């Protein structure tokens, strides 16, 4: 019972964060990007998310036509379909308003993806950083792959592990972090300057 409540709370919190991201996107604001330069990662997935939202819209129209003779079923499916479209747009909005942030004064790099991943890496724990395009990612202990469009462009190797909280709150110690940035060269250069 307790586990079910915990998972339910996490799902509700996730939905609230997505809708808050949608509001920030409409207001053209960002979340938590005041500490230093922000590095986006949403450009690589924009077309895919727009295509997915369009497919959901076509499905909504098709189901409305097919279910027009059953008003109760039509209303239920219309609600679910419209919410699915809002969910897809909110996912994209969350990736736009929650960029990676390099806080040189605070001594950290904040790596994010949607509202699912928010990892703070202290700069003194970064052993090496390099631009590395990877298209395949095999799960491995001690590694975190924060992919966008099935690719990562920056690899961090850490001198000490950092704790990553998974979507459902499980703790994982990671020593290698791979993530995507729209400007990986700029991010690697900025990290090099901040570490010096």
């Amino acid at each position: 019972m307790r586990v079910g409540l915990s998972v339910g709370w996490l799902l509700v919190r996730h939905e609230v964060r997505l809708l808050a991201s949608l509001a920030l996107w409409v207001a053209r604001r960002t979340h938590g990007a005041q500490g230093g330069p922000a590095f986006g990662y949403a450009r690589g997935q924009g077309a895919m998310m727009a295509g997915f939202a369009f497919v959901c819209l076509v499905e909504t129209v098709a189901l409305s036509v097919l279910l027009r003779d059953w008003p109760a079923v039509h209303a239920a499916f219309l609600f679910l379909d419209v919410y699915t479209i809002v969910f897809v747009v909110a996912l994209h909005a969350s990736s736009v308003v929650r960029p990676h942030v390099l806080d040189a004064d605070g001594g950290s790099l904040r790596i994010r993806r949607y509202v699912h991943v928010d990892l703070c890496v202290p700069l003194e724990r970064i052993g090496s950083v390099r631009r590395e395009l990877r298209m395949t990612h095999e799960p491995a202990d001690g590694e975190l792959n924060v992919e966008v469009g099935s690719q990562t462009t920056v690899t961090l190797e850490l001198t000490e592990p950092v704790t990553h909280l998974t979507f459902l709150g499980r703790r994982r110690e990671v020593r290698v972090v791979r993530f995507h940035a729209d400007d990986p060269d700029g991010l690697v250069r900025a990290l090099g300057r901040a570490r010096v």
Side-chain angles (χ1 to χ4, degrees):
M1 177 73 170
R2 193 172 193 144
V3 172
L5 287 174
S6 177
V7 170
W9 165 246
L10 288 170
L11 292 174
V12 168
R13 186 179 72 171
H14 176 263
E15 298 298 306
V16 169
R17 285 181 175 177
L18 279 179
L19 295 176
S21 296
L22 188 57
L24 286 172
W25 190 48
V26 169
R28 296 184 176 266
R29 301 186 58 134
T30 58
H31 175 271
Q34 293 76 24
F39 295 89
Y41 54 89
R43 195 179 329 143
Q45 70 183 12
M48 179 186 68
M49 296 300 273
F52 192 49
F54 178 74
V55 167
C56 291
L57 179 64
V58 170
E59 178 196 21
T60 301
V61 172
L63 280 176
S64 291
V65 171
L66 292 172
L67 299 174
R68 68 182 173 267
D69 294 334
W70 297 284
V73 177
H74 175 262
F77 272 93
L78 182 63
F79 173 79
L80 290 174
D81 284 341
V82 169
Y83 188 75
T84 301
I85 294 169
V86 171
F87 184 84
V88 169
V89 174
L91 266 179
H92 179 66
S94 69
S95 67
V96 173
V97 303
R98 294 171 181 267
H100 307 307
V101 180
L102 175 59
D103 183 2
D105 295 333
S108 66
L109 171 65
R110 192 172 181 184
I111 300 168
R112 303 195 284 185
R113 178 161 191 243
Y114 302 134
V115 295
H116 307 120
V117 177
D118 194 344
L119 178 68
C120 189
V121 178
L123 295 181
E124 69 267 8
R125 291 192 188 181
I126 298 176
S128 69
V129 57
R130 66 184 176 276
R131 185 192 195 294
E132 178 184 36
L133 176 63
R134 290 186 71 146
M135 304 298 277
T136 58
H137 302 87
E138 294 295 325
D141 286 340
E143 294 184 3
L144 175 64
N145 296 306
V146 186
E147 307 162 24
V148 173
S150 298
Q151 70 178 4
T152 57
T153 54
V154 178
T155 300
L156 299 179
E157 292 183 11
L158 309 179
T159 57
E160 297 176 47
V162 295
T163 302
H164 164 62
L165 287 176
T166 64
F167 178 70
L168 294 177
R170 201 180 94 226
R171 297 170 102 59
R172 284 186 60 215
E173 299 295 316
V174 294
R175 293 188 76 105
V176 175
V177 181
R178 295 183 188 93
F179 62 99
H180 177 75
D182 290 337
D183 179 17
D185 294 322
L187 178 55
V188 169
R189 281 193 303 270
L191 263 173
R193 288 191 301 269
R195 289 172 60 216
V196 175

